[in-house]
Amino acid sequence: MSRPLQLPPPTTTLGLYRQLLRESSYLPSLARPHVDHQIKDRFRRYQKGHVDNDRLRKKLKDAHHELRVLRAANAGDMNRMQKILLKAFGRTGSRRRDLFSNLVRRPSPATTEELEAQVSGTRAWSFDRDPDWLDGWDTEALLAFAKVQAKTSLPSSPRGPLLPKHAVSPDKDIPKENVYGNPFPEKVARTKVRKLYASLADRVLPPLPESEWDRLALVAEGKFEEAGWYVPSRRSAAKSLAGDADAQAGEWKWQLYATRPVGLVDVAQNKKQRLLSGALDENTPHGNTQPVDRHIYTAKFWKRLVKSIWLLTAKGTRDPEKGGYRVTWARAPFQAPTATTSGMEFFESLPVDASLSNKTQGPKKRGRKSAR
């Protein structure tokens, strides 16, 4: 791991695509498949077809920004690396939406009775309407998973807090009558039910596939080889043979300083922006050209970061025999910290049976003594 390379920005879309794939190759092995798939999918989506120039220009601008973010994360930006891993493991972003679709997807009916039950659930509303998106959701599986998540204490969820009151069927919150004592309009009730389910879906952290969940658990325990976790080292950059071009690139462009504010010209050399730009300030008075908030990734760091993400995940399977949805949420066993060798000197003066000396003594009672 090193500072971001100060490479020239790609001039073509294909060059940008290649640099994105090259930068994603330095990500951890378990996070790379999702990032590669997302890069290829977005490139092929706009490769063919008629797209207006304004939309295409915005997409290219976003792609250049994502390239700088990947370089900064690989160079030691912990916050950006954490955001990338949250997207890769489905806690945020498009991967979360795909996992949520798998959670609420209705299983194919195996018998005629199951098919009639699904149809009767769709026709439960008496007014004539077209099937909406809620009819295609397995609300029983969603509520079962939400109840387990509401009982689980999540340390730092990227979504809103899911409380037990949110994991109740929204149908119970719909009144039977309005303020005038008339039956509540069914169209308004259906709209409210859809809104409550959408609010619940926004708080849910969908389960991961069982194999991926088990590999994350191994990384959280520090078993990197068993989980197949590795971080490739960055290859050395190719050096240009055109020495005159390098010298010309390093010349002082006084025209920019004469026509534009200095803060805008030197924004790439700002210490807070060097992780994104890769620029170095050679004129700094203290001689420290490294960017701020740059950290060296170690095995201890990866274990701590992956463990914090693993505690936000779960695995779930449908029970074909009993019905319902089985959920297993990640839980870290409590381990009391042990004193280091340098810290043991603070405990040498304590007696061996100090923990047993106060067992026979009860709490002191306050108040006036009774007169004899």
Side-chain angles (χ1 to χ4, degrees):
M1 182 190 65
S2 59
R3 69 177 181 84
L5 299 178
Q6 193 176 5
L7 299 175
T11 57
T12 62
T13 307
L14 185 59
L16 176 61
Y17 174 67
R18 293 180 61 185
Q19 289 196 22
L20 283 170
L21 290 178
R22 185 184 300 112
E23 199 63 37
S24 68
S25 64
Y26 300 118
L27 293 174
S29 56
L30 297 186
R32 181 181 174 184
H34 168 70
V35 179
D36 285 349
H37 172 74
Q38 192 172 15
I39 294 173
K40 295 177 183 179
D41 179 68
R42 291 186 178 182
F43 176 79
R44 293 168 181 171
R45 187 185 308 173
Y46 296 98
Q47 185 179 11
K48 298 180 181 179
H50 302 283
V51 184
D52 55 347
N53 294 332
D54 295 338
R55 182 175 178 82
L56 185 60
R57 192 180 300 108
K58 182 180 182 302
K59 293 298 180 181
L60 290 176
K61 182 179 179 180
D62 295 341
H64 280 277
H65 175 72
E66 294 298 331
L67 176 60
R68 294 192 295 269
V69 169
L70 285 175
R71 287 177 178 173
N74 289 329
D77 194 329
M78 293 194 306
N79 293 332
R80 289 188 171 93
M81 179 60 73
Q82 183 182 14
K83 292 180 181 179
I84 292 175
L85 294 185
L86 287 174
K87 292 181 180 180
F89 296 122
R91 303 306 89 191
T92 58
S94 60
R95 178 83 193 282
R96 176 186 171 275
R97 293 190 291 270
D98 295 339
L99 294 175
F100 182 82
S101 300
N102 297 334
L103 172 64
V104 299
R105 183 180 293 114
R106 289 183 178 271
S108 300
T111 61
T112 306
E113 291 76 9
E114 294 180 1
L115 179 60
E116 291 179 354
Q118 289 188 8
V119 174
S120 61
T122 305
R123 295 177 178 176
W125 302 84
S126 60
F127 68 97
D128 295 334
R129 66 176 181 85
D130 296 331
D132 51 21
W133 52 267
L134 188 56
D135 293 325
W137 280 18
D138 188 357
T139 54
E140 295 181 0
L142 175 59
L143 291 175
F145 184 83
K147 289 179 181 179
V148 179
Q149 181 178 340
K151 297 178 182 179
T152 306
S153 177
L154 300 181
S156 57
S157 175
R159 314 300 299 181
L162 181 59
L163 304 178
K165 65 178 182 180
H166 299 140
V168 182
S169 178
D171 298 333
K172 299 180 180 180
D173 296 337
I174 305 301
K176 301 297 182 182
E177 299 178 351
N178 57 11
V179 294
Y180 301 103
N182 299 325
F184 199 80
E186 293 189 356
K187 289 186 177 181
V188 180
R190 184 64 179 180
T191 302
K192 288 182 175 293
V193 169
R194 289 200 305 263
K195 184 177 180 180
L196 291 174
Y197 269 112
S199 176
L200 174 62
D202 188 61
R203 302 170 187 269
V204 168
L205 296 175
L208 285 175
E210 186 174 0
S211 59
E212 186 176 0
W213 190 84
D214 294 338
R215 296 176 70 181
L216 273 182
L218 292 176
V219 178
E221 295 177 1
K223 303 176 182 179
F224 299 101
E225 296 183 359
E226 298 181 16
W229 176 279
Y230 64 92
V231 182
S233 58
R234 181 176 290 277
R235 298 182 295 270
S236 59
K239 297 182 180 180
S240 176
L241 299 177
D244 297 337
D246 294 340
Q248 185 178 0
E251 293 181 356
W252 183 51
K253 300 178 181 180
W254 61 269
Q255 295 88 348
L256 297 177
Y257 291 91
T259 57
R260 301 178 62 185
V262 179
L264 294 179
V265 178
D266 294 338
V267 65
Q269 297 181 359
N270 190 345
K271 294 189 67 176
K272 294 184 178 180
Q273 298 294 330
R274 291 176 198 169
L275 279 174
L276 287 175
S277 62
L280 292 177
D281 188 6
E282 303 295 346
N283 299 324
T284 178
H286 48 74
N288 184 14
T289 60
Q290 294 296 335
V292 295
D293 297 335
R294 175 182 175 271
H295 302 270
I296 298 177
Y297 297 149
T298 59
K300 185 178 180 180
F301 164 79
W302 290 121
K303 178 182 176 181
R304 183 171 63 251
L305 178 60
V306 174
K307 185 177 180 179
S308 64
I309 297 177
W310 177 66
L311 293 176
L312 300 175
T313 61
K315 61 179 180 180
T317 55
R318 287 185 171 87
D319 191 353
E321 298 180 356
K322 299 181 180 180
Y325 202 82
R326 292 183 179 180
V327 182
T328 303
W329 206 273
R331 290 184 180 180
F334 175 75
Q335 295 180 356
T338 57
T340 59
T341 305
S342 58
M344 287 297 296
E345 60 179 352
F346 297 101
F347 304 94
E348 292 178 354
S349 59
L350 294 178
V352 178
D353 58 346
S355 59
L356 303 177
S357 59
N358 296 328
K359 283 190 174 182
T360 58
Q361 298 179 2
K364 295 182 179 180
K365 297 182 179 180
R366 295 184 178 182
R368 296 181 179 179
K369 296 182 180 180
S370 58
R372 294 181 181 179

